[in-house]
Amino acid sequence: MKVILQQDVSGKGKKGQMVEVSPGYARNFLFPKNLAVEATADNINTMKLKEKARQAQIEREKEEARQIAEKLKDCKVKVVAKAGAGGKLFGSVTTKEIAEALAAQHGISLEKNKLVSDPIKSFGFFDVKCKLGYDITAVLKVEVGEA
């Protein structure tokens, strides 16, 4: 019996896949738990339309990531921090602080987990790698200055 999976099922397949299972497995396990629906013509068409919409969404997200990467090429973010004697920072500049400064200075909001950097513990200029998803990355120039 062919069924279309509504959720990931271990050992059978991923959500949205059409798989062949035994009728008893489908009737007694998959259908009662709403893990799958029977592969009728209507359900197959619905699956194809959902897949097409999902691909369109992925393309939109990729385009947004490319646009953000283009904007980040020219951006320089200045972060101010307090320091003690010898120019050593109290604490460090984290990705959260960099993301907040980027939003405040350039209006580009990025989640802190998209910024890849070790905590910055000294003054100067640093390159912070931004992973925007879909194998799209950008480099953000960060200047850490004295408060």
Side-chain angles (χ1 to χ4, degrees):
M1 168 182 251
K2 288 194 182 246
V3 296
I4 299 171
L5 298 177
Q6 300 293 332
Q7 296 177 13
D8 292 354
V9 178
S10 63
K12 295 297 173 189
K14 301 268 186 201
K15 178 180 178 179
Q17 282 185 325
M18 186 169 15
V19 295
E20 183 75 34
V21 296
S22 68
Y25 183 68
R27 241 187 347 264
N28 296 322
F29 182 74
L30 296 176
F31 295 159
K33 294 188 178 200
N34 292 323
L35 296 175
V37 292
E38 191 173 353
T40 62
D42 273 351
N43 289 338
I44 291 171
N45 285 338
T46 303
M47 177 187 73
K48 287 179 182 176
L49 287 174
K50 283 183 181 178
E51 180 62 25
K52 192 174 183 181
R54 190 178 71 78
Q55 291 297 330
Q57 176 68 22
I58 287 172
E59 284 303 315
R60 279 194 300 276
E61 289 172 0
K62 280 183 182 180
E63 187 56 36
E64 282 179 25
R66 282 189 204 102
Q67 290 174 355
I68 290 173
E70 283 297 315
K71 289 179 186 176
L72 289 177
K73 275 185 188 175
D74 304 326
C75 286
K76 287 185 181 174
V77 176
K78 182 171 172 92
V79 179
V80 294
K82 292 183 181 179
K88 189 142 172 85
L89 296 182
F90 292 134
S92 61
V93 177
T94 62
T95 56
K96 180 181 178 187
E97 293 169 340
I98 295 169
E100 290 171 354
L102 179 64
Q105 294 171 20
H106 298 283
I108 300 172
S109 65
L110 278 180
E111 296 173 22
K112 66 178 184 176
N113 59 354
K114 292 190 179 215
L115 299 173
V116 181
S117 171
D118 292 328
I120 300 170
K121 298 185 181 199
S122 61
F123 292 121
F125 294 92
F126 300 91
D127 290 337
V128 176
K129 187 175 181 183
C130 303
K131 290 187 176 182
L132 303 171
Y134 304 104
D135 295 329
I136 298 171
T137 60
V139 176
L140 177 64
K141 305 261 188 243
V142 177
E143 177 186 353
V144 179
E146 215 170 328

